[in-house]
């Protein structure tokens, strides 16, 4: 098994109302001849295919043909000299 960087890729999920939302992939997991996307859920890596309502993989630039917005959670303030964003409780 090996882990490969997945920068620029999202997992696209559906809601019961017909909307979609995205979670950025953390890495790809190579197992045998298959590749599986991995996301962080409550601090644990999870295979995307095992999560409820998974639809497909997509790219963050929207070239996968989807009109769903990409919700990117910022890890740090993007201003020069920015600080880490505090954890939500």
């Amino acid at each position: 098994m090996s882990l490969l960087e997945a920068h620029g890729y999202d997992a696209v999920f559906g809601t019961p109302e017909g909307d979609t939302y995205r979670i950025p992939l953390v890495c790809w997991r190579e197992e045998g001849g298959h590749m599986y996307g991995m996301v962080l859920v409550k601090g644990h890596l999870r295979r995307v295919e095992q999560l409820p309502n998974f639809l497909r993989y997509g790219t963050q630039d929207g070239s996968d043909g989807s009109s769903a917005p990409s919700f990117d959670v910022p890890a740090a303030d993007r201003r020069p000299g920015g600080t880490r964003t505090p954890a939500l409780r």
Side-chain angles (χ1 to χ4, degrees):
M1 177 186 79
S2 63
L3 297 177
L4 306 169
E5 183 182 349
H7 179 73
Y9 289 91
D10 291 327
V12 182
F13 295 88
T15 65
E17 295 81 20
D19 298 323
T20 59
Y21 65 97
R22 295 169 173 258
I23 299 176
L25 292 180
V26 174
C27 61
W28 295 101
R29 176 180 174 185
E30 182 180 24
E31 189 174 293
H34 301 284
M35 298 289 286
Y36 303 102
M38 305 289 287
V39 294
L40 276 177
V41 177
K42 297 183 180 180
H44 299 280
L45 279 176
R46 302 282 186 218
R47 266 183 46 187
V48 174
E49 292 88 358
Q50 295 177 343
L51 297 175
N53 304 315
F54 172 68
L55 299 175
R56 66 184 178 280
Y57 292 107
T59 58
Q60 290 180 351
D61 64 5
S63 64
D64 61 330
S66 170
S67 62
S70 178
F71 298 104
D72 186 20
V73 180
D77 189 341
R78 299 195 193 276
R79 293 176 290 181
T83 59
R84 302 277 306 166
T85 302
L88 298 175
R89 296 192 188 261

